[in-house]
Amino acid sequence: MSLKIRLARGGAKKRPFYSIVVSDSRSPRDGNFIEKIGTYNPMLPREHAERITLKEDRARHWLSVGAQPTDRVALFLGRANIIDLPKVVESPKKSAPKAKAQERAKLAAAAAASAEG
């Protein structure tokens, strides 16, 4: 049985509230879970103390027995110094400016440099 530490959505329409749960990876997102180890309220400001609550000892226990956190939960655990912060994934090359836009940016930068000096 592979375990996941993930978010289970609750709350009303357009008012999300998430529970941080340990569950079997085959169970549905909002379905059966083994243990609730915290909460996440994205409606609160980022610096608010109750935006993310975690039972650190239980999170460490589940990580020690092989539970794998999802990307978002890994970020929460990293900020709480329970695990190492995950690397930030770079944006895909597909969203980068195309060749003509890059050429225009180079010409604008060269014009700005020649105007200054």
Side-chain angles (χ1 to χ4, degrees):
M1 172 168 79
S2 62
L3 298 173
K4 284 278 188 187
I5 302 176
R6 63 181 176 199
L7 298 174
R9 192 179 194 281
K13 181 179 178 183
K14 298 192 179 186
R15 302 282 301 173
F17 185 85
Y18 296 93
S19 296
I20 302 171
V21 298
V22 178
S23 66
D24 182 11
S25 63
R26 296 169 292 185
S27 65
R29 179 194 70 180
D30 299 335
N32 210 5
F33 61 87
I34 299 169
E35 183 179 356
K36 180 179 171 182
I37 61 170
T39 61
Y40 168 54
N41 187 354
M43 301 301 287
L44 294 176
R46 192 175 288 269
E47 58 278 346
H48 197 280
E50 294 176 7
R51 181 176 165 103
I52 301 169
T53 61
L54 274 171
K55 296 178 188 171
E56 292 186 20
D57 57 333
R58 295 308 296 164
R60 289 181 201 279
H61 166 74
W62 285 110
L63 289 168
S64 70
V65 296
Q68 295 295 315
T70 58
D71 294 339
R72 177 63 53 178
V73 174
L75 190 64
F76 297 157
L77 295 174
R79 288 183 183 154
N81 293 325
I82 296 174
I83 61 172
D84 294 332
L85 266 172
K87 285 197 271 185
V88 176
V89 179
E90 293 294 324
S91 296
K93 292 180 181 179
K94 198 171 192 177
S95 65
K98 303 297 183 245
K100 286 185 179 179
Q102 288 179 354
E103 186 63 32
R104 281 193 298 266
K106 285 180 186 176
L107 290 174
S114 65
E116 288 179 1

